[in-house]
Amino acid sequence: MRLDTETETVGGVSPLRRGTRLLYRAAWTNDVLDAGDDAPDHPSYIAPRLATIDCAASYPVGQEEGLRPHGDVLALDEATDEMPGMRVENGAARDDDGAQDPTHRPHSPKSSLIPNGFMPKTESPQLAKPVANGRHVNANEEGVIEGADGTFAVAKDPPYIERVDGGEYKDLAELTVRLVQETLNELKEVIHALADMSAPHATHQSGLHDAHALVNGNAAAQVSVQKKTRLMDFVQHRRAQFIKLLVLASWSRSTEDVRKAIDLLQWLRTQAYLHDEASLELGRLKLSMGPAKLPNPDLATALEVLSTGTASWLPDLNLIPAPPLSPHETLKTLRNINTLLAIRLNLHEDLPPYFQTFTIASGRATFVVPGEFEVDLSIADEDPTKQLYFLDLRFLFASDPDALQGRLRHEIEERANEVLKTDGLRGCYDFLHELVLTHKINVLRRQAAELVRGRWADAVRLEMVRRTLVVQYWLKRPGGKSWIEIGVRRKAAQADGISRPATSAIAIRWVRDGKEAAESPLALPTTGTSMEALLKRVIALHTNSILRAIRDKLLEAPLYAHATLSLSLSTSAVASVQSKVTAQLTPSRTATLTMEPIGGRFALEPATLRFSQVEHTLNSLKDPATEAPHHLSNLRCLIVKEEIESRARCVGWQLLRTLSPKQEDMKRVFPRDTLQVSYFSRTGWNGRWVVALSVGMGGEDWWILELLPATIGHAIGDHQRLPIAAATARSIDPTYEYLGRLERISAGMISLFVHARQLQQSRIRYAVRAGTTDGDPTDALPLLVIRFSSLIGHGLRRRLQTWAKEPVQVKYQGVTSSTGHATQIMVARLVQPALFGMIRDRVDDDVVFHAASGTFACRLHGPVGESMVTQMRDRLVRIERLIRFLQVVRRFRLQCDSLSLGRLVFHYARDPPLRATVGFASQAPMTFTLEAGNPHLRIADFLTRILNGDGDAGLEHVTVLVSLTIPLFRALAALEATSTAHAASPTRVFILPRAADWLQLRYDAPRAFFDIRLRQRRDDIRWFISEDTATLASSVRDRADAPTARPAPLAEALRALMLDQGEGWKGLRTGIVATMDGVADALRRLDDVVRTAGTDASMDGNATTAAGHTVVIAD
């Protein structure tokens, strides 16, 4: 593996040289900083500026089995002039005589290189030759070359990295064998251990109880579980080992790559170690040469003194005070100091993490530690190595303003300047930080003593344990003790969200009811220090904790969890008197629970006799957080029952105190959390039906019960909960209106129950769903959801799927005051809501359509307790027929003039307009009516028969027929007009309809019969016109005056017509096939042929005498 490097020189100094200089400087600085204040090479004793280090690395080419010796040669650039006679060779400092410095640190035994990265002695005489004070060209064939001008260059082939000794590797096969052997040995141990785990034998003595056998069986099961657990643990452990072996085996396929990676990692570690050692050695060398330095002689001063006999810098005895600075000069001086402070703090000073926030103004730097202090520092010299000086200190929390006056301030100033001189800014912060913490605790202690002597007497106890302040509160409450401990925690992490090293801080330990609080630790306020405020805050948190636990326990009840009744918790972090739990017992009554802050006693409002009894009970509890909710629940249930019974008797409800159902029935019907039950009835009700009220923390539920006779007490048969209380998510307010609504809903539930029973007996699929709660409270009644196909009948299931969506909903609406009948609303939706756009008028008084959503609703009326299933089915059949007709109208794009549940009027032609009316009464056959002059009048009876005979598809078939036959019947009408215009013609024509798609034309003089039928071939529909020879023959036999043979001109003309073709028709020798539009032209040609033949025959004398042309229409 080889590291390829190419170096370019920039400005006479190569990147390798500059990078090595910075790397060595950074490594040495980090090592010294990590050593701390206790290290002998502390930065305060080292000159602030090191000599620049130039490093030229030489990398000889290594062999495949190892790396030849190599190293680095270093020379001192700036320090050589101050250290004559010294040279650095092969990592050691030597004198001119070659003696090595005895303080040299030995190198690491793991590497053949010198620890500081210097190159050892080599075989190359050029590299082994020492160099004293100056530059030298250090190079070999493949190393780094330093020229005389200070530039560097790197050879093309870098050296090979030294390979790790192969003897340190382990054989994979040996590892596999050892793992398999270890697994086998452990498996044997597990087998022996499982054999020793035997279950106790079951006793079979006649005098023992059967429970002994049960105990033995349980013991055997436990032993079996232990065996399985032991075996699974062994399997899992061994599996993990073999997975690791599998990973090693997978990596073994890339042995050479892994080995190169190991070699590279070892080389990098060695280089890092060499860099660290080189920086440390340079630092020690700098320190050791300090005493050997001599100051340079002041030649300028000596020359001046020898020449003039005095020196210009010597002080004058006649001192003249300097003139005072002008405001401009003062401002300039302060600005210069500000500039020097900014340069020093940003470039030269290593600011502690907590001194990162500072401002510079008025010749001083103000460092701010939030919540603790502000300190002002300044400089007295431009030299960045000189110390900073303390100017002023201000506390950032509420304290005595005279605390930093007089002797105390002078001592703080002296001590701060000493710390700044020795330890710098970090030491200054530590000193002021500890001073502030101690001062805060003393302030709190004095304030706590004043509280004990004041209104907190007999409620608070104070104790000082060394540097920790202990304050106990609520001395007379039953249960565990509560107190807080205020002290200094060393190296505490800050909670302000800023990433900074941990430091000491004031911590508060809170013991609540004998147990340390699990909440996040308390913290003193950053702007003020008040023991009373802290104590009130702790008591407020304690009060909030108790009240919150009571609230959470009450919230487990569905009544409060579903917000049927309100339950609120008001808390305050500073004033416990503002913390309270407000529970709504009934819509008109509310209870408020608070705690007195000094003594810790409960207070329950309003102040009534029953509330006072519960309050006394709460103050005697040792653990009110868990026991108080039970007493509050009992209080609420009793108040609710008394209030509802009192209101119900006022509106006419009868309270059935003597009713006592069986306990097993009550457990089956009412919820488990029911605490109180009341039974009610109404005058005129059947004695089998009653209304029951169950009261509990799950809510108040109203029930309708069907009572069955029993030998002892009463048995409960069918029962149903009324959706008027907890199920509606509304608070029970037993007003007169509410109880009246309860009566109406009870009657509605009985009706719905009867309907559901009838549906079940009729095997109609249905479901009961909960009603909605929006709008009128009666909407909360359960809904009957019925399947359309099951309700309307199996024969219509396939058709319903094409126009209606499943299912249909039946909802109770109320009771009619005039008749006392129950009103039900049946709602369903269409698949194609666009059909409702054709409905412009109200089709029925009890049917409403909504065109936008496709929903229709039907109103049903009937006596309470009677089923309306038959009425529902009849109404759906009529609506289904109307929807089917609307689909036909929309499909054929007919113009609908009028639409209702019993009548449909539409246009099926426009030019000229043709209109038809379809009547469909509920219990009568449908009718098809046409206006006078309509060409389809001749087949109106056939169309009516098709309309009623094809079921729901009748209108579709009729519409198709009338649409297809419009050209035909208009052509027949044209024949009528032609016959009327040619009254002198002897030819008479008869139009006989045989069916809606079959007509017959009969001509007299000459006699000819033609059938016109509608036929379908593949996907094409055509009219077929053929001669009816059979009917013609029978008519000849019946009439004595009829000619016995067809005239020859007519036969020839018909034969020619059958071979001819025209627009939309074509002859087929035996007949004519015509399209829907071409049949008119074909009939005109046929009529012309027959009439022409009849005229020719009349002229030849072969035709019978006729009084004139007559057209007979036979219907």
Side-chain angles (χ1 to χ4, degrees), residues 47-169:
R49 187 165 181 267
L50 292 178
T52 304
I53 302 173
D54 293 335
C55 174
S58 176
Y59 301 95
V61 179
Q63 302 300 328
E64 190 64 26
E65 64 274 12
L67 181 68
R68 291 187 297 180
H70 66 282
D72 300 334
V73 176
L74 296 96
L76 298 176
D77 292 341
E78 300 178 6
T80 51
D81 297 335
E82 301 179 3
M83 293 183 296
M86 297 293 295
R87 67 172 180 270
V88 178
E89 178 185 356
N90 296 338
R94 296 179 180 272
D95 296 331
D96 291 341
D97 56 355
Q100 187 172 0
D101 186 4
T103 62
H104 174 66
R105 186 174 179 178
H107 60 81
S108 173
K110 295 184 178 180
S111 175
S112 61
L113 303 177
I114 300 301
N116 57 7
F118 298 167
M119 187 179 69
K121 296 180 179 180
T122 60
E123 299 176 359
S124 175
Q126 183 180 2
L127 295 177
K129 182 179 179 180
V131 179
N133 298 336
R135 297 192 178 275
H136 184 74
V137 179
N138 300 325
N140 58 14
E141 296 178 357
E142 299 173 353
V144 179
I145 302 175
E146 180 183 3
D149 56 349
T151 60
F152 289 83
V154 180
K156 294 183 179 180
D157 296 328
Y160 286 92
I161 294 178
E162 182 181 5
R163 312 205 67 167
V164 179
D165 187 9
E168 297 181 3
Y169 294 108

Side-chain angles (χ1 to χ4, degrees), residues 3 80 98 107 191 270 273 424 452 489 606 655 679 686 709 765 787 829 847 851 856 884 916 948 1089 1104:
L3 299 177
T80 51
H107 60 81
I191 293 175
T270 302
Y273 175 78
V452 173
R489 178 177 297 173
L655 182 60
Y679 301 96
N686 193 322
R765 300 181 63 181
R787 192 174 183 85
R829 301 185 68 179
V847 179
F856 65 91
R884 181 64 64 181
N948 291 280
V1089 169
T1104 60

Side-chain angles (χ1 to χ4, degrees), residues 249-444:
S250 300
W251 279 103
S252 64
R253 298 185 179 94
S254 303
T255 306
E256 188 62 27
D257 294 339
V258 174
R259 185 170 182 177
K260 290 180 179 180
I262 294 174
D263 296 340
L264 180 59
L265 178 61
Q266 181 62 25
W267 182 83
L268 291 174
R269 290 177 176 175
T270 302
Q271 295 301 313
Y273 175 78
L274 294 177
H275 282 72
D276 295 343
E277 289 297 324
S279 60
L280 290 175
E281 192 65 25
L282 287 175
R284 295 188 184 94
L285 180 61
K286 181 68 175 180
L287 292 176
S288 62
M289 290 188 297
K293 292 182 179 180
L294 295 176
N296 294 328
D298 190 358
L299 299 180
T301 302
L303 181 60
E304 183 180 1
V305 171
L306 293 176
S307 302
T308 62
T310 182
S312 59
W313 53 268
L314 292 177
D316 191 359
L317 296 179
N318 297 324
L319 298 178
I320 299 176
L325 296 177
S326 64
H328 179 72
E329 294 175 345
T330 302
L331 180 60
K332 182 178 180 181
T333 303
L334 293 178
R335 287 179 177 177
N336 292 337
I337 296 176
N338 293 341
T339 303
L340 295 175
L341 283 173
I343 295 174
R344 177 169 178 172
L345 295 180
N346 287 283
L347 300 179
H348 301 283
E349 290 291 342
D350 184 12
L351 299 179
Y354 292 92
F355 271 2
Q356 296 294 332
T357 302
F358 64 90
T359 59
I360 299 175
S362 301
R364 63 180 63 190
T366 302
F367 295 90
V368 181
V369 179
E372 295 187 9
F373 62 89
E374 289 182 355
V375 60
D376 295 338
L377 303 179
S378 186
I379 58 175
D381 199 322
E382 296 182 1
D383 190 355
T385 61
K386 301 298 181 179
Q387 75 166 83
L388 295 169
Y389 290 92
F390 174 88
L391 295 182
D392 194 9
L393 176 66
R394 295 175 296 277
F395 292 142
L396 297 182
F397 56 91
S399 178
D400 186 3
D402 298 332
L404 294 178
Q405 300 297 330
R407 179 181 176 183
L408 177 60
R409 189 188 185 287
H410 292 296
E411 292 182 358
I412 294 175
E413 181 177 358
E414 293 179 2
R415 178 57 181 165
N417 288 328
E418 292 178 1
V419 173
L420 285 171
K421 181 178 181 180
T422 56
D423 299 334
L425 290 176
R426 184 177 298 274
C428 179
Y429 166 76
D430 293 338
F431 165 66
L432 296 178
H433 177 65
E434 294 296 331
L435 174 66
V436 169
L437 297 184
T438 304
H439 182 64
K440 281 187 176 182
I441 295 177
N442 290 331
V443 172
L444 293 175

